[in-house]
Amino acid sequence: MLVDSPPEQRAESAPAPPSRRAIRSLGLLGSAVLLVLVALASIAIGAKDLSLAQVWHGLFQDTGTYGDVVVDERVSRTVLGLLAGAALGLAGAVLQALTRNPLADPGLLGINAGASAAVVTAISFLGVTSMSGYIWFAFFGAAAIGALVWFLGGSRGATPVRLALAGTAISAALYGYLQAVMISDNAALGRMRFWTVGSLSSATGSTIAQVLPFLVTGMVLALALARPLNAMSMGDDTAKALGAHLGRTRALSMLAATVLCGAATAACGPIVFVGLMVPHVVRSFTGPDLRWILPYAAVLSPVLLLGADVIGRVIARPSEVQVGIITAIIGGPVFILLVRRRRTAQL
């Protein structure tokens, strides 16, 4: 005769459900695997139709035609896409936490506009034509506008609303300046138009080497801000009670976002929606904890950027569509969907 065990014994023998932390860790590992696959696809697939055997040959054996295409072009743009995507994702996540606006992106504080205005000025008025020149002008333009927004927003007394308003006003003024310069200077219009679209096609080892120190510094700083930004998300009074330094955290957050977005924009041009979409989507399954949002954004943002770059290289062979156009095409409908979902949730 079978006798049922007591409920207490059955409960003890039942397997424990996986913890939320374990699920997040597995999800982050799966995201890293996806990133590796997309990076390999970025190397294997391009505007020039090469077989996998030719790609392998170009990577490890050939220093001629295949090696030039695979190593000098595809590997360089893949590495730059990895770095720039991670930078834009982290910058977007930090700015969304700083402004307490889940639909914020690096363009909200005028950083993209500052970099673009500096490069357009360098091209039109100073005759700069090299990518190395673009990088430094874009970076300093982003830094200058970031500092100006911080000052106009109230410096140490800055609030999320003040920062957002200052950034929006400055962005509008700078984009008006951009349009005026581009219309009045036909000779430089072609170069400016190509750069302001956003592309990975000009990636070189030299470009990566110049922006790498800034990107690494910004990434480390952004990841280190996870805990104080978590405290600030509960309100200024609660954050102070928990020992958070509001002014210092906001200043360092602005610095991290400016360095990350400035360096990425300097190397690739202004690429939109990556810093908006990925952190927002990530938050839907990680929750509001930035200790998880930031690593996920750093891994999944390059997936979006490199995936869009691969699509742009395939759909217009033997030419290509710049990655900034693809992310805008993808990001527009996604942004509308996010806004509608947020409005429905509020109702």
Side-chain angles (χ1 to χ4, degrees):
M1 180 176 180
L2 298 176
V3 179
D4 288 340
S5 57
E8 295 82 0
Q9 183 177 348
R10 292 201 302 270
E12 291 177 359
S13 61
S19 67
R20 188 175 179 86
R21 182 183 181 87
I23 294 174
R24 287 168 170 172
S25 299
L26 288 175
L28 189 59
L29 178 61
S31 300
V33 172
L34 178 61
L35 176 59
V36 172
L37 294 176
V38 173
L40 291 176
S42 178
I43 296 173
I45 302 171
K48 185 177 179 64
D49 192 11
L50 299 178
S51 67
L52 292 179
Q54 290 171 330
V55 171
W56 182 268
H57 193 70
L59 276 174
F60 299 106
Q61 299 176 13
D62 184 21
T63 58
T65 303
Y66 297 152
D68 291 341
V69 172
V70 176
V71 177
D72 296 342
E73 296 180 14
R74 295 186 185 177
V75 172
S76 293
R77 73 191 293 164
T78 299
V79 172
L80 183 59
L82 289 169
L83 293 171
L88 293 172
L90 286 172
V94 168
L95 289 176
Q96 287 174 12
L98 176 65
T99 60
R100 297 176 195 164
N101 180 358
L103 297 180
D105 75 332
L108 181 67
L109 299 185
I111 298 172
N112 281 345
S116 299
V119 170
V120 167
T121 300
I123 292 174
S124 184
F125 298 110
L126 302 178
V128 177
T129 58
S130 66
M131 179 56 63
S132 60
Y134 296 170
I135 288 175
W136 290 106
F137 275 96
F139 181 76
F140 286 120
I145 295 302
L148 180 59
V149 169
W150 176 246
F151 174 76
L152 294 178
S155 300
R156 291 187 176 274
T159 63
V161 174
R162 286 181 181 179
L163 291 173
L165 289 175
T168 301
I170 292 174
S171 293
L174 288 177
Y175 280 123
Y177 166 76
L178 284 173
Q179 295 301 318
V181 174
M182 292 177 70
I183 291 173
S184 62
D185 190 347
N186 292 327
L189 178 60
R191 295 195 299 272
M192 290 187 291
R193 183 175 54 193
F194 179 81
W195 188 86
T196 54
V197 165
S199 174
L200 298 176
S201 62
S202 58
T204 63
S206 175
T207 301
I208 295 170
Q210 290 182 69
V211 299
L212 183 61
F214 299 105
L215 291 174
V216 172
T217 301
M219 289 176 189
V220 172
L221 180 57
L223 293 171
L225 289 168
R227 288 184 181 275
L229 284 173
N230 274 342
M232 287 179 58
S233 67
M234 294 183 284
D236 289 356
D237 293 336
T238 303
K240 288 179 181 178
L242 294 173
H245 299 276
L246 302 185
R248 183 174 67 188
T249 300
R250 286 180 178 136
L252 292 176
S253 298
M254 279 290 297
L255 177 62
T258 299
V259 171
L260 288 170
C261 188
T265 304
C268 310
I271 297 176
V272 297
F273 286 116
V274 174
L276 164 66
M277 285 190 293
V278 176
H280 188 85
V281 172
V282 162
R283 192 179 293 104
S284 66
F285 58 85
T286 64
D289 191 346
L290 282 160
R291 293 174 298 176
W292 289 102
I293 292 175
L294 291 174
Y296 265 98
V299 173
L300 289 178
S301 295
V303 171
L304 172 61
L305 187 60
L306 288 176
D309 188 46
V310 171
I311 292 172
R313 283 184 271 171
V314 170
I315 61 175
R317 284 177 171 171
S319 183
E320 65 178 76
V321 179
Q322 280 72 30
V323 66
I325 297 175
I326 301 298
T327 57
I329 292 173
I330 297 172
V334 172
F335 182 73
I336 294 172
L337 177 62
L338 294 176
V339 172
R340 288 181 60 85
R341 286 182 57 188
R342 180 170 172 78
R343 181 179 179 183
T344 302
Q346 290 175 342
L347 294 176

